[in-house]
Amino acid sequence: MRTIESLGNLASRTVIVRDDLNVPLRDGAVADDGRIRASLPTLSALTSQGAKVIVVSHLGRPDGTIRPELSLKPVATRLGELLETPVSFVDETIGDRAHAARAALRDGEVLVLENLRFQPQETSKDATEREAFARELAVGADAFVSDGFGVVHRRQASVTELAAQLPSAAGLLIERESAVLERVTGAPERPSVVVLGGSKVSDKLGVIDHLLDRVDTLLIGGGMMFTFLKAQGHEVGASLLEEDQLDTVTSYLERAEQRGVKLMLPVDVVVAERFAADAGHEIASVEAMTDTPFGADGLGLDIGPETAALFATEIARARTVFWNGPMGVFEMPAFAHGTKAVAQALVDSEAFSVVGGGDSAAAVRALGFTDDQFSHISTGGGASLEFLEGKTLPGLEVLAS
Ligand code: ADP
Ligand code: MG
């Protein structure tokens, strides 16, 4: 990938940076600034060279209309607090006010433009519309740095078309994310363990398919475990089940066996009487799931303690661990133990440990872990999953050297 250095001396040059500053807001302020922090190294690298930096990003899904509650203004404020350089904001992307603000930028300053997705062209299916918008964004700029890893799987004006308008390169975040995910999927140091969970198995089929040929051990928890357990002939009560995926899952179980991949499913599950934080619940062994007091209505909402211990043992032996998908409904404390145990196992291990997935990253932080306890927490939910599926990501392709 082309790096920032390939753009030459950027002093007094105007550089557009595509970041992913799509952060959660609460009461008009930034509730979690993880993605803003992740954007800082590239922005500092540019401002310290004396570049004039224009930051563009989306926030939420305004679908091409102006939605004041999705303005990037609070994000620009937070960025200004974190970055030791002046940060200004303009409530447009390509209008007269935006152009005036851009022209007024001085060396080493940062300007944040309004939410890109207030403009329908940003996410248009029509390439000529995206191109026209990218051309407007590029006016007066000398270079483009792509650093929003969370959007590189999208074909959108500021991700793909803008890169073609200007000399362009990958920022430090995209460089790091790509290198980490490559290390996990390319030739990982062995033994390599992948832990998968989350809600739907259908969201993760591509990842399982691609990784089955590349890892030593696959540990399955979360809602997706029930489709696997059912495929093995267990009863799963009213737990999440994707009947239409039973054949696919069966074929994965067979493939794992043929390839000598250790695919481990839970041996015990926390079964609740209903989907609620205060629901009555108990630990059921998978072998005896039909005998639980909740019978056919029982809902499996977490892996059990024996499973958590088995998974932790596998993780302790690993040299590389990638984890995507909470082990249970971690949003409810009663069903967060499995997720917490797996996170702790990653923290305790000597392995190169990577967490990917939006909810997984949120889960480890909500459970009190910090980013520096892991080798890497990916900022890209969908993008990191598509990378792990072995797909070509359009936003990375345009940065290839
Ligand atoms: P990620 O965003 O990290 O890829 P997913 O979006 O696939 O993760 O899944 C996250 C969701 O999975 C969480 O909201 C969690 O509550 C849910 N989940 C985990 N285990 C279960 C389960 N046994 N039953 C229902 N939902 C579950
Ligand atoms: Mg998710």
Side-chain angles (χ1 to χ4, degrees):
M1 253 177 332
R2 297 188 298 278
T3 60
I4 293 177
E5 291 78 63
S6 76
L7 298 171
N9 183 357
L10 295 169
S12 300
R13 303 263 138 194
T14 301
V15 182
I16 303 193
V17 181
R18 176 35 157 129
D19 276 322
D20 174 7
L21 303 179
N22 182 29
V23 296
L25 297 176
R26 203 180 304 122
D27 303 325
V30 174
D32 173 358
D33 62 10
R35 283 180 166 160
I36 304 178
R37 290 178 184 277
S39 75
L40 299 177
T42 296
L43 297 179
S44 303
L46 294 170
T47 54
S48 64
Q49 284 189 53
K52 300 168 181 171
V53 178
I54 300 168
V55 175
V56 293
S57 175
H58 70 288
L59 180 63
R61 296 176 179 267
D63 293 329
T65 58
I66 295 172
R67 296 254 308 273
E69 72 279 16
L70 292 178
S71 170
L72 277 170
K73 185 150 196 248
V75 175
T77 303
R78 185 75 189 119
L79 180 61
E81 288 161 8
L82 294 171
L83 206 62
E84 280 148 21
T85 39
V87 174
S88 52
F89 171 78
V90 63
D91 65 344
E92 280 187 338
T93 44
I94 54 172
D96 292 343
R97 286 194 305 282
H99 284 295
R102 296 160 71 131
L105 259 184
R106 285 186 303 217
D107 293 0
E109 287 183 353
V110 176
L111 168 68
V112 179
L113 303 186
E114 186 52 288
N115 191 342
L116 288 161
R117 292 191 187 164
F118 285 180
Q119 297 288 327
Q121 305 97 302
E122 165 68 359
T123 54
S124 171
K125 295 272 171 272
D126 182 345
T128 53
E129 284 186 13
R130 294 199 304 269
E131 247 166 61
F133 184 50
R135 214 172 303 124
E136 282 281 330
L137 286 172
V139 168
D142 301 296
F144 171 61
V145 172
S146 184
D147 211 26
F149 184 72
V151 287
V152 291
H153 58 315
R154 305 282 186 211
R155 208 172 274 286
Q156 296 178 345
S158 65
V159 181
T160 40
E161 279 74 15
L162 188 52
Q165 295 288 330
L166 294 165
S168 58
L172 300 172
L173 178 62
I174 284 194
E175 250 190 80
R176 165 122 180 98
E177 291 270 11
S178 308
V180 164
L181 295 177
E182 188 56 45
R183 180 163 167 190
V184 168
T185 52
E189 203 181 328
R190 301 176 62 178
S192 74
V193 173
V194 167
V195 193
L196 289 179
S199 48
K200 288 161 65 193
V201 71
S202 52
D203 288 346
K204 310 280 166 83
L205 292 174
V207 176
I208 301 173
D209 193 48
H210 190 68
L211 291 184
L212 260 184
D213 298 331
R214 290 169 172 78
V215 299
D216 296 306
T217 304
L218 194 54
L219 310 175
I220 305 256
M224 68 162 72
M225 64 182 160
F226 300 104
T227 306
F228 279 92
L229 292 173
K230 180 81 181 183
Q232 288 192 328
H234 298 289
E235 289 309 318
V236 299
S239 307
L240 264 189
L241 172 65
E242 289 178 85
E243 297 265 7
D244 54 340
Q245 303 301 345
L246 284 171
D247 289 346
T248 310
V249 159
T250 304
S251 76
Y252 290 159
L253 287 166
E254 288 166 4
R255 227 170 89 201
E257 174 115 33
Q258 286 159 9
R259 301 283 159 99
V261 173
K262 191 167 175 185
L263 192 157
M264 287 176 70
L265 292 169
V267 294
D268 58 348
V269 176
V270 180
V271 181
E273 53 185 347
R274 60 200 164 84
F275 191 87
D278 61 350
H281 54 88
E282 66 162 40
I283 295 154
S285 109
V286 163
E287 290 302 333
M289 274 193 39
T290 41
D291 301 334
T292 68
F294 311 117
D297 297 330
L299 270 174
L301 296 184
D302 195 8
I303 58 172
E306 206 181 317
T307 304
L310 286 172
F311 284 9
T313 305
E314 291 297 323
I315 292 166
R317 284 198 201 113
R319 299 291 310 152
T320 308
V321 191
F322 175 77
W323 173 29
N324 166 267
M327 294 291 99
V329 183
F330 72 92
E331 296 92 337
M332 303 176 187
F335 311 111
H337 299 292
T339 303
K340 199 162 186 178
V342 164
Q344 189 63 53
L346 259 76
V347 166
D348 293 342
S349 91
E350 302 280 301
F352 183 66
S353 57
V354 180
V355 182
D359 290 293
S360 309
V364 297
R365 292 184 186 122
L367 293 172
F369 296 93
T370 54
D371 290 33
D372 58 357
Q373 292 180 290
F374 304 87
S375 304
H376 185 72
I377 298 186
S378 179
T379 54
S384 57
L385 288 183
E386 289 200 21
F387 195 107
L388 294 170
E389 288 173 20
K391 286 193 183 157
T392 304
L393 308 184
L396 295 183
E397 213 180 6
V398 293
L399 307 172
S401 53

